[in-house]
Amino acid sequence: MARVQIANARRPEPGETDDPLAERLRVCQMRFASVHSSETQQAGDLREPAKVAIVNFRGPVPDDLPGRIATLLDKEWLVDELFGKPTVAIIVTGGAQAFKMLPRVERVFREGLVKAARATNAWVFTGGTSSGVMKYVGEALASHPDIPCIGMPLFGNVLGHELIEKKACSLDEMRDAKEQMVEYAPTEADNTLLGAALEPHHTHFLLLDNGEAGAKAWGMEIEFGLRTQLAYCAHDKNKDNRVPAVLLVVQGGPGTLKTVVKAVEKGVPVVVIADSGGCASAIRDFLTRAPGAREDIAAAERELAALASELDAAKSALSAATAKAETGAKSGGAREQALSERLAARIAVREAKKRVDRADAILLGLEQKLLKPAELTLGFGKASTVRQLRGIRANERLIELFELSQNATADISQSILSAVALDEKLPPHKMLELAIVWNNLQMIGSILAGGRGRALHGLSLIHISEPTRRTP
């Protein structure tokens, strides 16, 4: 088994950098009782202690913070140098509690995730706790400590966070190799609605400390995590060195849906494990509607769009009438005429708005029928949630649906590679370069022939040679 060491990697000297991030950051190392015991070491598991950073701030996330944390990974923890620069970032999101996979499906998921990470020299990002899909990801990578797995949970909801805070030190102390070691004992068995243990097979943790904790705080870390992950992917000033990201969705609730919406709005391709339930299945059902429903919804969408245009025109007429009433006519009949026109314009806007609301309600009813009862029970039929699903449908070109249970030899890695090809921000020469690195002959041929995106859907992996990961 590979052993990742840091002895030959160079960190900046104390005082060599002047980074405001240092004021918000405390770091430590962590050994997990379940994987770093003397018994596991003697059995040949030479996994290094995990690197941990507490990111402290209050209020909204500062605009520069995600980028600076990306710099921490690159310049301070030297993850690029130790593991090799990734060609893809796989961001896993989904069910955090009470999520169980059937044994056969779990095997397919594990094998596919590892194959994808090795085929692309990927880094894997998760929410970091020992629960739900994050636990499955950690266990999938348990025998592969040379694949970086970076967890990003909310600090206040991490069991044992008091000990972590007590042991953590400053960046300068880290640069002096005085990092404190945390002996971490909590496990999945200790999880409650108020907090969860960290997953022991992750290589790095970024703990978001915004002062919040408890059941109501779950999900606050999701947007911050996605922003930070994408900031890492784009932090190299050379655009040709940008790392493409793929969001992998497994089950999940309304919070996961928000993550998917934000991802596609930023042009990030998404692989949806469509038969995993929850959010993932709701996306599948919303996108893969029957022909009759498709026609009805398309007609309702056209009607809504036409009425929305009428509403915009009515609002423009009201603005003009208001300006005329306030600045044009000053006295007499002209003023009365202007006020009358403004009143008529207001009535027109109100009536147009009613027509739009009625059309939207009709469309909403048709869309809700796409969802299964279980998905409606989970809240995916709410008007606000259906509108988020509409946002995903508007970016359907970025969605790759994949079903684990229907494929005894399912290959998630193939879907992840196909999804990367959907990234419209990647120039063709960069896509070709990645295809060559991945040794995917069919993808290379399709790119050279001018194919891209959906033209690459369903490619088979002819032969994948594992990229060399740098282990000093």
Side-chain angles (χ1 to χ4, degrees):
M1 183 177 298
R3 177 182 177 90
V4 180
Q5 300 178 337
I6 62 172
N8 298 326
R10 180 186 180 278
R11 294 192 181 102
E13 296 296 330
E16 191 172 87
T17 61
D18 183 17
D19 188 353
L21 175 64
E23 300 176 4
R24 304 190 186 109
L25 196 70
R26 294 181 67 78
V27 295
C28 62
Q29 296 190 75
M30 182 177 292
R31 278 196 294 254
F32 291 85
S34 57
V35 298
H36 293 116
S37 66
S38 58
E39 290 82 3
T40 58
Q41 296 288 313
Q42 290 172 4
D45 188 344
L46 303 179
R47 179 178 294 273
E48 289 288 323
K51 295 286 187 182
V52 181
I54 304 171
V55 184
N56 189 311
F57 70 92
R58 298 295 182 270
V61 178
D63 289 339
D64 66 334
L65 186 55
R68 291 187 180 280
I69 292 177
T71 301
L72 166 74
L73 292 171
D74 188 13
K75 303 299 183 184
E76 298 289 351
W77 280 347
L78 307 168
V79 186
D80 275 13
E81 185 172 340
L82 297 172
F83 294 94
K85 186 174 179 64
T87 62
V88 176
I90 301 174
I91 303 170
V92 186
T93 187
Q97 297 179 0
F99 172 57
K100 299 293 183 182
M101 286 186 185
L102 295 173
R104 181 180 64 81
V105 173
E106 180 183 351
R107 175 185 57 78
V108 172
F109 176 78
R110 288 187 181 193
E111 292 176 357
L113 181 63
V114 171
K115 184 176 181 180
R118 289 212 175 281
T120 60
N121 204 45
W123 291 6
V124 180
F125 291 88
T126 82
T129 57
S130 190
S131 59
V133 67
M134 299 167 284
K135 175 176 177 288
Y136 284 111
V137 171
E139 291 176 347
L141 301 178
S143 300
H144 307 278
D146 56 328
I147 298 176
C149 186
I150 302 168
M152 301 185 66
L154 191 68
F155 177 72
N157 282 4
V158 170
L159 297 180
H161 66 267
E162 300 88 353
L163 176 61
I164 300 172
E165 187 169 35
K166 181 179 179 180
K167 289 283 189 177
C169 65
S170 69
L171 269 178
D172 275 344
E173 289 172 315
M174 180 189 81
R175 292 167 185 152
D176 278 340
K178 296 179 181 178
E179 295 166 281
Q180 299 296 310
M181 185 66 67
V182 175
E183 304 292 341
Y184 192 80
T187 67
E188 180 188 8
D190 301 310
N191 291 354
T192 70
L193 292 177
L194 301 180
L198 294 174
E199 202 292 317
H201 300 103
H202 283 61
T203 59
H204 301 76
F205 292 95
L206 297 168
L207 311 181
L208 170 63
D209 181 13
N210 64 350
E212 300 292 340
K216 293 183 178 179
W218 288 115
M220 290 184 176
E221 75 282 6
I222 293 175
E223 181 179 356
F224 172 78
L226 183 63
R227 285 179 57 186
T228 301
Q229 291 147 4
L230 296 183
Y232 171 77
C233 292
H235 81 287
D236 196 307
K237 293 181 180 179
N238 184 345
K239 291 184 178 180
D240 274 355
N241 291 336
R242 188 180 71 84
V243 178
V246 172
L247 186 69
L248 180 61
V249 181
V250 186
Q251 203 229 31
T256 300
L257 184 63
K258 292 179 182 178
T259 303
V260 177
V261 172
K262 291 184 180 298
V264 295
E265 286 175 349
K266 296 179 182 295
V268 177
V270 179
V271 175
V272 177
I273 307 302
D275 53 349
S276 59
C279 173
S281 296
I283 291 173
R284 174 200 59 196
D285 294 339
F286 201 81
L287 297 183
T288 58
R289 49 195 185 275
R294 185 183 304 119
E295 294 168 2
D296 291 342
I297 289 175
E301 288 175 333
R302 289 193 297 271
E303 177 69 11
L304 179 59
L307 292 173
S309 295
E310 291 180 9
L311 176 59
D312 290 340
K315 288 180 177 178
S316 297
L318 175 58
S319 297
T322 300
K324 181 178 179 181
E326 293 177 350
T327 62
K330 297 296 183 182
S331 62
R335 178 172 176 75
E336 291 180 2
Q337 176 66 25
L339 293 174
S340 178
E341 290 176 357
R342 182 174 66 178
L343 177 59
R346 284 177 175 170
I347 294 173
V349 167
R350 186 166 61 247
E351 292 303 314
K353 179 66 167 59
K354 289 180 181 178
R355 291 192 293 272
V356 166
D357 288 343
R358 285 195 294 268
D360 186 66
I362 291 172
L363 176 59
L364 178 64
L366 292 171
E367 291 170 327
Q368 287 171 331
K369 291 179 181 179
L370 299 173
L371 302 172
K372 292 182 172 60
E375 295 158 1
L376 295 174
T377 302
L378 291 172
F380 291 103
K382 294 180 179 178
S384 59
T385 307
V386 170
R387 291 190 176 93
Q388 290 177 327
L389 287 166
R390 288 179 190 171
I392 294 173
R393 185 170 64 210
N395 293 282
E396 188 174 357
R397 67 191 185 282
L398 295 172
I399 305 296
E400 188 85 12
L401 298 177
F402 181 85
E403 302 214 0
L404 285 171
S405 59
Q406 293 185 8
N407 297 275
T409 57
D411 193 346
I412 299 173
S413 64
Q414 178 176 322
S415 286
I416 289 175
L417 295 186
S418 295
V420 173
L422 303 177
D423 190 335
E424 296 165 351
K425 296 187 293 297
L426 277 181
H429 73 275
K430 179 64 174 178
M431 191 67 247
L432 177 60
E433 177 185 321
L434 293 177
I436 293 172
V437 170
W438 301 336
N439 200 16
N440 191 309
L441 302 183
Q442 241 177 322
M443 186 178 284
I444 293 171
S446 181
I447 294 169
L448 291 176
R452 190 181 178 90
R454 285 294 173 190
L456 300 179
H457 177 74
L459 293 176
S460 61
L461 302 181
I462 303 301
H463 171 68
I464 293 178
S465 57
E466 181 177 330
T468 303
R469 290 181 178 272
R470 185 172 179 181
T471 52

